[in-house]
Amino acid sequence: LMQERDKAITRADDLMDTVQEKSDLVTKLENEKRDLVSRLALADNELDSLHDQKETMATEKSELEVEVEKLRRENDSLQNAIDTFETAFEYKEKEIEDLQKQIENFNLEMDELVG
């Protein structure tokens, strides 16, 4: 009977050890779960931040594209103004040349009349 009692005590001790091991394992797993949940929350926040940055960059890109188009139109307008000025300048140069020829011809006629 004593032997049965010792076996029962040993068996109870073994079961208590097993329960403690299982309890320790559950605690460890709960801690790991808490850590993973925390890391997941951090990763989720980082993802949100990256998404916000992406939206900001897309907005900035769009604004820059508008600015580039505005500058392109301004450049075209300035080029048209330069072309118009050059055409007018060439026309005025030709008028000046024509007037200089008329003056030369007038001077030749005057020299013939006087001389």
Side-chain angles (χ1 to χ4, degrees):
L1 192 65
M2 196 68 151
Q3 195 175 10
E4 288 290 322
R5 186 177 155 283
D6 288 345
K7 280 184 181 178
I9 290 173
T10 301
R11 174 97 173 108
D13 286 346
D14 289 346
L15 287 174
M16 289 299 289
D17 288 346
T18 301
V19 166
Q20 187 59 49
E21 287 172 9
K22 299 292 182 187
S23 177
D24 291 348
L25 182 59
V26 166
T27 301
K28 180 182 173 189
L29 290 173
E30 285 173 345
N31 289 338
E32 287 179 9
K33 178 184 174 187
R34 210 172 302 117
D35 181 54
L36 289 172
V37 167
S38 175
R39 288 170 52 197
L40 179 61
L42 288 173
D44 194 42
N45 289 341
E46 188 174 342
L47 189 60
D48 287 345
S49 175
L50 289 172
H51 182 70
D52 290 346
Q53 288 177 20
K54 180 183 175 186
E55 285 182 5
T56 299
M57 292 175 83
T59 300
E60 289 172 353
K61 179 184 177 197
S62 179
E63 290 169 354
L64 287 172
E65 287 171 345
V66 168
E67 183 67 19
V68 164
E69 187 54 37
K70 177 182 167 191
L71 290 172
R72 187 174 285 125
R73 284 193 306 270
E74 186 177 331
N75 183 58
D76 290 347
S77 177
L78 289 171
Q79 188 60 52
N80 289 339
I82 288 170
D83 292 346
T84 300
F85 174 80
E86 287 177 344
T87 300
F89 184 80
E90 290 169 2
Y91 178 79
K92 290 295 178 187
E93 276 186 325
K94 178 76 169 111
E95 274 187 345
I96 291 169
E97 287 176 12
D98 290 346
L99 288 172
Q100 285 174 337
K101 285 180 184 172
Q102 287 178 16
I103 291 170
E104 285 176 24
N105 287 338
F106 178 78
N107 284 338
L108 286 175
E109 287 178 19
M110 288 300 287
D111 285 349
E112 286 179 11
L113 288 175
V114 172

